[in-house]
Amino acid sequence: MLDVVDPPRKCDVVVVGAGIVGLATARELALRRDGIRVAVVERERTIAAHQTGRTSGVIHAGIYYRPGSLKASLCVNGARALYEYCEERGIRTERAGKLIVATAEDELDSLAELERRGQQNQVPGLSRIEGTEIREIEPHAVGIAAIHSPATGVVDFGQVAASFARDLAASGGSVATGCAVSALEPHGTSISVRHARGATRARAVVTCAGAWSDRLAVACGAPAAPRIVPFRGAYLRLRPERRELVRANIYPVPDPDLPFLGMHLTRRIDGEVLLGPSALMVGARDAYRPWRVRPSDLASSLAWPGTWRLAARFRRTARRELRNAASRRAFVDELRRFVPELRAADVLPGPTGIRAQALARDGSLVDDFVVHRTERAVHVRNAPSPAATSSLALARLIADEAERWL
Ligand SMILES: Cc1cc2nc3c(=O)[nH]c(=O)nc-3n(C[C@H](O)[C@H](O)[C@H](O)COP(=O)(O)OP(=O)(O)OC[C@H]3O[C@@H](n4cnc5c(N)ncnc54)[C@H](O)[C@@H]3O)c2cc1C
């Protein structure tokens, strides 16, 4: 448990947001420099309350990402660093492995491209297997070919985030929860952070605000693009007596036009087997209940030209997502092509997360991590999956940016 603290009145760096990216960054800065004072300020009453605490917990190996992208290098390096960190701290991980399964001939080119990317990204242990070999790894799965990634694993990212917060506290830093940041005001060699308990003066600020990452950044003069548009990701879970249907991770060949990895089956570190997530655009950045609408969030999505361009381009995908949201049977049918024994009666409602998806003005979904700078502030504008996996490596990059003001 963290002590409840107020933000200090003065410090060296304020990090906005106690998700895994903010906590990893605060920890990195605190460990880099002796005597530096780093304060994290979080709106919710607990850390990891949004994306970080709502994942399926997959430590991605780095297969999907365009070679040369930030995601490619930070995921491979971040996963390595995360396994080492968890081992040092006694946080349980499991290198359970993963199959990316093609079920139709027209997916084979995309599967080959994924394999090529994975090799170029130097993902350890990657191999291509035939359809007949799938059952040796996942006895209930079928397909015509697959990529096997033995380095993919699982962890509880909430535990990792809590451990980062403890490291920060041990280095003299603090985490203040229940304290929303409302404005950042640079004044020459310092910047004032206005929050629910007053103000903190710092030399630099880093915003890692997840689904709200565009708000403070744009208010500070960063470009309007990308805009965050929330996508609700709902999971189902297997009934305990049917968990034997999935040993580890079974993923589809993703749609190359979308940055989402597609609906998959994942055995979490606690043994629960999750199915999903769906990807439905919603009317609030915290729409954990699908019908929750916040007028300011909805207006922000609708006023963005990219939203309309995206909707026009992906009409078919949107219809499928709506069907999956409305019908458990349709949701399960999507996954039955990988595990034919799966039945609608095997599943129960599961957890839900909201993806902070960055959308460009032209309607393209921004794939790579994006960081912007304004006066005395660094803003993480896009940190979607695999940012939890990559957090230790991403934190180094963000800390490099923030150090220019220290
Ligand atoms: C359904 C789902 C499944 C996922 N699965 C995986 C996975 O298996 N593996 C993986 O690597 N990644 C996964 N991801 C992605 C991963 O969760 C995110 O990339 C990562 O958690 C981002 O961390 P973050 O710290 O940037 O954001 P968050 O965890 O969302 O934290 C942002 C924080 O900022 C706070 N905040 C916002 N505005 C303010 C303000 N004004 N003042 C104070 N605080 C503020 C919020 O309250 C929040 O706590 C998944 C994401 C989702 C949604």
Side-chain angles (χ1 to χ4, degrees):
M1 280 293 282
L2 285 168
D3 294 334
V4 176
V5 295
D6 282 335
R9 303 199 42 156
K10 213 172 154 209
C11 66
D12 294 302
V13 185
V14 169
V15 175
V16 181
I20 199 165
V21 176
L23 290 167
T25 303
R27 169 188 179 275
E28 173 69 24
L29 283 162
L31 293 179
R32 265 187 197 191
R33 292 184 168 222
D34 266 356
I36 189 175
R37 292 156 307 160
V38 184
V40 177
V41 184
E42 164 59 47
R43 182 178 48 210
E44 305 294 345
R45 287 149 80 115
T46 55
I47 65 167
H50 289 290
Q51 296 177 96
T52 299
R54 296 164 179 274
T55 75
S56 43
V58 178
I59 302 177
H60 291 289
I63 302 165
Y64 301 92
Y65 317 112
R66 189 174 45 76
S69 64
L70 285 176
K71 274 192 181 178
S73 59
L74 298 181
C75 182
V76 173
N77 295 335
R80 193 184 312 120
L82 185 63
Y83 279 122
E84 279 170 21
Y85 177 82
C86 289
E87 198 172 323
E88 268 172 33
R89 294 294 196 280
I91 299 171
R92 220 179 115 222
T93 59
E94 207 177 311
R95 278 186 176 77
K98 159 173 170 172
L99 287 178
I100 303 175
V101 179
T103 56
E105 294 283 333
D106 62 7
E107 292 176 331
L108 291 177
D109 284 350
S110 298
L111 193 73
E113 169 63 10
L114 285 181
E115 189 187 4
R116 192 188 62 78
R117 284 189 175 192
Q119 304 292 9
Q120 257 186 282
N121 294 345
Q122 302 189 324
V123 174
L126 216 55
S127 63
R128 167 85 174 232
I129 63 170
E130 297 305 318
T132 48
E133 296 168 283
I134 289 174
R135 279 181 189 260
E136 291 166 25
I137 298 168
E138 284 287 351
H140 300 274
V142 297
I144 58 172
I147 293 173
H148 180 224
S149 164
T152 301
V154 279
V155 70
D156 178 343
F157 285 117
Q159 276 186 21
V160 176
S163 182
F164 289 168
R166 283 193 297 274
D167 292 348
L168 174 66
S171 312
S174 62
V175 181
T177 53
C179 187
V181 172
S182 51
L184 308 177
E185 292 158 1
H187 314 277
T189 57
S190 69
I191 179 164
S192 174
V193 180
R194 298 211 168 276
H195 49 67
R197 287 184 224 136
T200 300
R201 188 173 284 266
R203 291 158 73 200
V205 170
V206 180
T207 67
C208 304
W212 296 268
S213 65
D214 47 355
R215 297 264 162 93
L216 288 171
V218 173
C220 287
R227 176 77 50 98
I228 294 292
V229 174
F231 278 80
R232 186 170 187 273
Y235 290 98
L236 296 174
R237 59 197 170 92
L238 279 185
R239 288 183 183 280
E241 64 275 19
R242 296 292 277 161
R243 285 183 190 156
E244 89 282 351
L245 289 177
V246 179
R247 261 193 192 162
N249 289 291
I250 307 171
Y251 276 64
V253 177
D255 180 337
D257 290 334
L258 291 171
F260 305 142
L261 303 185
M263 297 236 287
H264 50 269
L265 303 101
T266 284
R267 179 178 285 267
R268 256 184 359 198
I269 192 85
D270 61 0
E272 187 85 70
V273 176
L274 296 186
L275 279 58
S278 53
L280 189 66
M281 198 188 285
V282 281
R285 297 183 186 203
D286 57 349
Y288 297 111
R289 293 171 199 277
W291 52 87
R292 177 179 286 171
V293 172
R294 291 194 187 272
S296 61
D297 290 347
L298 186 61
S300 161
S301 293
L302 296 181
W304 187 240
T307 307
W308 299 96
R309 292 183 180 129
L310 177 81
R313 213 168 122 217
F314 288 105
R315 253 189 235 126
R316 245 186 54 212
T317 313
R319 272 200 297 273
R320 193 185 65 213
E321 289 296 336
L322 273 171
R323 210 171 40 242
N324 289 345
S327 155
R328 196 179 288 184
R329 191 169 295 277
F331 194 117
V332 168
D333 277 351
E334 286 246 345
L335 293 165
R336 218 189 347 249
R337 61 194 172 103
F338 307 104
V339 181
E341 290 165 63
L342 193 63
R343 297 283 172 270
D346 295 333
V347 299
L348 298 165
T352 296
I354 308 290
R355 292 184 182 88
Q357 180 57 53
L359 189 56
R361 202 178 280 279
D362 66 0
S364 54
L365 294 158
V366 180
D367 189 24
D368 210 358
F369 300 140
V370 177
V371 175
H372 284 167
R373 243 186 359 247
T374 58
E375 199 182 336
R376 298 230 151 232
V378 180
H379 308 277
V380 177
R381 297 290 298 268
N382 194 36
S385 181
T389 301
S390 316
S391 51
L392 285 165
L394 183 55
R396 281 181 220 130
L397 179 137
I398 303 165
D400 288 347
E401 289 287 331
E403 270 201 318
R404 71 179 58 228
W405 289 298
L406 300 181

